[in-house]
Amino acid sequence: MKQRTVYVCTKCDYQYPKLLGRCPQCGAFGSFVEEKYEDTPEQTETGSKPRRGILRSEAAVLIGDVSTADSPRSATGYGELDRVLGGGLVDGSVVLLSGEPGIGKSTLLLQISGVLSSTRRVLYVSGEESAGQLRLRASRLGVISDNLYIYTETDVDKIVSECEKLSPDVVVADSIQTLYCGSTPSQPGSVSQVRDCAAVLGSLAKTRGISVIIVGHVNKEGGIAGPKVLEHMVDAVLCFEGERHQNFRVIRAVKNRYGATNEIGVFEMTDKGLSEVENPSAMLLAGRPRGVSGSATVCCMEGTRPVIAEIQALTVKTSFPAPKRAADGFDYGRLCLLIAVLEKRLGLRFSDLDVYLNVVGGLRLDEPACDLAVAAALISSLRDVPVPSELAVVGELGLAGEVRGVTNLALRVREAARLGFSRIVIPKRGTDTSMLPGDIEVIPVRSVYELLPIFAPKKD
Ligand code: TYD
Ligand code: MG
């Protein structure tokens, strides 16, 4: 048997016979790992080995002859998760649930396995925990059921034969990095192992109509550890985010063949596992400081749902040669850009200040509609004047300091009104104020200058 060594980029799956410092395809540094392949005899003799693929059909068929029946879905028992999945777990689909260690992936999957097992047969395969540990956790979460099977195994071929014996409707594989495939010569967790194991599980789903949920750990940079190709092989990629030391958890669909990708599901980690948070705005606002500078509230859209989030900024005199900027939950480049706009258009001086920005609750804001609230938090901290606590801010900021329109304005304003805000700053351009709810005062602004009166010292 001949052994070959190739080096594979873990970011984009580029392969090269030598170790490279920088990937010529995706430009990542230090992303190459060594992979060893053994050419099996049948491969060297016939020159081709049947490759593992997910889908196989006997012959081509006319598109019109394909049955159009919608794939049935099963509710997971958690409305928050069902919404992210696009209405429930689709039969025969492969879902990848990724997240940092300790975020609660195994807990969530054990809980939904418990719910699903009331109507279907569920097999929970764990390569990380012993059956005893799982049993302990299951009894703590209250998920003992007659239709939930536990299997501690890491060999995918054994998992497949167990599935043949048991014929489950749902299989959970926790986690893909611990599984291995006997015919692939590299270590579990390596690029080729992850890919081959996912292919075996994928074909199990497609040929037998089993819903497969795969757990994937994320690496230091936040990407799914293992090849990028894993994302292409599954039907949906869900990311489980949040701070491990906070109770707030967010599930986000990064890819979904059966639904929209911009929905989020919000959970809270309690001593009885994860529970749904149906009203995230109220929870996010719970510990909001009053009368303190540097805090602003924005109404952002998470999928089709408006969510009120608190943004905190802190500006302090720098002790470094170049001032420090740090952003948590917000794009770093965008923060620098907004600081530059405020410096140029309002003449504010941030060049000798360190700037820290934080989005409360572990939420990630990537919508331009949050710009104006970030600007408000920055100005408030710089001037040390609080943003009034009954005021919400929505709007995109352009480089000229102009405030641009945002989508779904009426939904955002309504959510702010529902949560007890009495005033909201909105973009003036393209806004039809007659469409907005009447129980909240709207303050339309054209440019960032018009934000300044909020920070004027109060006249008594
Ligand atoms: P876990 O599901 O094991 O994380 P993952 O599979 O993503 O690595 O979650 C572990 C964390 O969750 C652990 O730090 C303890 C906490 N936890 C609770 O707070 N309450 C609970 O009821 C359970 C089961 C776990
Ligand atoms: Mg786990």
Side-chain angles (χ1 to χ4, degrees), residues 175-216:
S175 65
I176 189 80
Q177 278 86 7
T178 55
L179 300 187
Y180 75 93
C181 184
S183 55
T184 311
S186 49
Q187 289 291 315
S190 67
V191 178
S192 45
Q193 279 290 6
V194 166
R195 186 196 309 141
D196 286 359
C197 292
V200 173
L201 294 173
S203 90
L204 189 70
K206 302 293 167 193
T207 52
R208 304 180 135 257
I210 301 175
S211 308
V212 177
I213 307 178
I214 301 174
V215 172

Side-chain angles (χ1 to χ4, degrees), residues 288-297 313 376-391 393 423 451-458:
R288 195 158 62 110
R290 306 259 159 168
V292 181
S293 65
S295 157
T297 28
L378 289 170
I379 302 170
S380 161
S381 179
L382 183 86
R383 296 225 168 146
D384 205 15
V385 176
V387 180
S389 62
E390 77 295 344
L391 180 84
V393 183
R423 290 191 291 159
L451 209 55
L452 288 180
I454 301 172
F455 304 100
K458 279 209 177 84

Side-chain angles (χ1 to χ4, degrees), residues 292-296 311-317 342 348-350 353-357 373-387 455:
V292 181
S293 65
S295 157
I311 297 171
Q312 294 189 330
L314 184 69
T315 53
V316 282
K317 201 160 168 18
L342 295 182
L348 300 174
R349 217 175 120 100
F350 286 94
L353 298 173
D354 289 338
V355 178
Y356 301 93
L357 193 82
V374 171
L378 289 170
I379 302 170
S380 161
S381 179
L382 183 86
R383 296 225 168 146
D384 205 15
V385 176
V387 180
F455 304 100

Side-chain angles (χ1 to χ4, degrees), residues 101-107 124 126 128-129 137 174-175 215 217:
I103 200 90
K105 301 180 293 296
S106 309
T107 307
Y124 189 103
S126 179
E128 300 194 342
E129 286 161 288
R137 182 185 297 205
D174 187 4
S175 65
V215 172
H217 291 296

Side-chain angles (χ1 to χ4, degrees), residues 97-111 124 128-129 137-138 140-141 174 215 217 240 244 247 249 269-274:
L97 178 69
S98 75
E100 284 178 24
I103 200 90
K105 301 180 293 296
S106 309
T107 307
L108 178 71
L109 291 178
L110 203 55
Q111 283 178 268
Y124 189 103
E128 300 194 342
E129 286 161 288
R137 182 185 297 205
R140 187 139 72 88
L141 300 171
D174 187 4
V215 172
H217 291 296
F240 209 178
R244 201 167 351 148
N247 295 338
R249 303 277 189 278
M269 183 62 101
T270 66
D271 56 350
K272 293 217 166 44
L274 289 152

Side-chain angles (χ1 to χ4, degrees), residues 7 29 41 46 57 78 83 167 169 195 217 236 252 264 282 306 324 361 363 374 396 398 402 405 433 435:
Y7 294 86
F29 286 95
T46 61
S57 63
Y78 293 89
R83 193 180 44 244
S167 21
D169 302 301
R195 186 196 309 141
H217 291 296
R252 195 184 291 275
I264 64 162
K324 199 170 147 70
L363 211 64
V374 171
E396 177 181 346
E402 82 280 17
T433 39
M435 300 292 289

